[in-house]
Amino acid sequence: MMKTFKIAVYPGDGIGGEVTDQAVRVLQRVQDQSGGFALELTHLPWGAAYWDETGRVVPDDFLEILRGFDAILLGAIGEPRRIPDHVTLEPLIRIRQTFDQYACVRPSRLYPGVRSPLAVPGASKVDLVVVRENSEGEYVNNGGRFKVGEPEEFALQTAIHTRKGIERILRFGFELARKRRKRLTMATKSNAQRYGFVLWDEVLEELRGEYGDVEADKQHIDAAVMNFVRRPETFDVVVGSNLFGDILTDIGGLVGGGLGLAPSANINPERKAPSLFEPVHGSAPDIAGQGIANPVATILGAAMMLEWLGLEAEAERIRRAVAATLVRGIGTPDLGGTLKTAEMADAVINELKDD
Ligand code: NAD
Ligand code: IPM
Ligand code: MN
């Protein structure tokens, strides 16, 4: 029997729709070529347009709706000129936390043919994966505003780092490092954050012995971002808290050739709820509507989705097509090229080979 997967396509705002349209074309081509699986796509028209109609960015039961799918493919959310970001983006954070997508996996590698913005000797050898803790840390909805509008106004924002949360993400990172170059770097800030990140440091020390085959070290986040620029080739797997992982993956995306190429998988490793796949980038209001956004980050996100669904060969076929396209030195304006969004996807589709 043919395997059928129910996929929620959530394009979102700005360039979100532009890039998901192209990723869907790639997925459809791979499906036609393979003949061994079927994707049943459902488009969810949520975001700023939905806000204009209803005063909400998603329906009240959005989590129940999403729970019924095998996976979610997201474009990008955010219409910062009209709607506050903490309103528009709240559903994304709730999806990650409610579905316990605690492992956010963000690979970054400089494909041959792509120019690095860096001038350091290791610039061409970037091949790293940031594993971001995605369920707690600095992103828990915990805090408040007090004496609003008064001179004594204050805001309280509390981070929550649990032993269980730190341990499971570090284990995820160690297991991934074992399949790669066996190096793990943990981002910390225990020199100043004396509770949360001291706990992170302690859990790393406790686990180190179990993963003796992996070379593990830690760097304070300020040094780590500098080293992403100074010697990016030294990183293999990098594990960080929610906020540190967020910061590391914009810089990681950049050293891998730009945000237009950087995918992201928000994984619930236990498969008790759907996982979500997206680009690292946002809705890019500065270029939205011009048809020039790079669709590759979302295409590679779609490949991560296929891999998660057990379609490894199909995922690899997409990655090879992307590599074959980039090695030609062509691309959208962010890569220094002249292609439009759809032309970039055409180029990738032309490189999709039957096995
Ligand atoms: P951004 O990632 O949208 O854009 C940063 C820069 O990168 C911009 O100059 C943009 O043009 C460029 N860029 C991004 N993606 C590109 C692509 N595919 N091709 C070519 N260039 C690309 O970050 P921002 O401007 O800080 O945020 C814009 C909005 O997106 C905000 O509302 C923000 O909150 C939101 N956001 C959403 C997500 C998400 O949905 N997961 C992620 C990040 C930011
Ligand atoms: C990302 C984004 C989100 C995050 C924002 C938009 C809430 O920057 O996916 O990297 O901080 O996680
Ligand atoms: Mn981010």
Side-chain angles (χ1 to χ4, degrees), residues 160-328:
I160 293 182
H161 302 273
T162 68
R163 172 174 283 281
K164 175 184 162 193
I166 298 166
E167 182 176 332
R168 67 184 183 175
I169 199 64
L170 276 171
R171 285 190 185 280
F172 190 97
F174 272 117
E175 297 292 341
L176 182 60
R178 274 188 169 157
K179 296 189 208 124
R180 293 177 43 97
R181 302 198 306 280
K182 298 190 168 53
R183 284 200 51 123
L184 179 142
T185 309
M186 189 188 87
T188 187
K189 190 62 194 170
S190 48
N191 52 359
Q193 299 266 297
R194 51 171 46 224
Y195 308 113
F197 288 102
V198 169
L199 181 59
W200 273 82
D201 287 8
E202 286 173 8
V203 177
L204 176 67
E205 290 316 314
E206 287 167 20
L207 293 181
R208 183 189 288 287
E210 266 185 66
Y211 298 93
D213 52 327
V214 176
E215 197 187 320
D217 72 345
K218 61 181 187 235
Q219 294 182 15
H220 293 302
I221 184 65
D222 44 353
V225 291
M226 179 193 60
N227 285 328
F228 263 49
V229 172
R230 184 169 67 156
R231 31 179 195 238
E233 78 286 1
T234 59
F235 293 98
D236 179 16
V237 173
V238 184
V239 181
S241 69
N242 216 329
L243 182 61
F244 290 172
D246 179 43
I247 295 165
L248 283 170
T249 48
D250 260 35
I251 187 83
L254 194 75
V255 302
L259 280 185
L261 300 176
S264 172
N266 301 263
I267 302 281
N268 170 241
E270 287 77 31
R271 296 180 187 267
K272 290 191 177 140
S275 294
L276 182 149
F277 302 83
E278 57 176 339
V280 170
H281 66 71
S283 57
D286 54 339
I287 58 164
Q290 298 176 34
I292 57 166
N294 190 342
V296 170
T298 314
I299 290 169
L300 291 173
M304 293 181 89
M305 178 177 84
L306 294 187
E307 190 166 2
W308 181 248
L309 295 173
L311 302 166
E312 286 92 355
E314 287 79 1
E316 188 51 28
R317 194 184 302 162
I318 294 176
R319 283 191 286 264
R320 278 203 305 269
V322 166
T325 305
L326 294 172
V327 80
R328 294 169 57 201

Side-chain angles (χ1 to χ4, degrees), residues 6 13 53 58 117 129 186 341:
K6 285 162 69 182
D13 310 310
E53 281 168 37
V58 290
V129 183
M186 189 188 87
T341 307

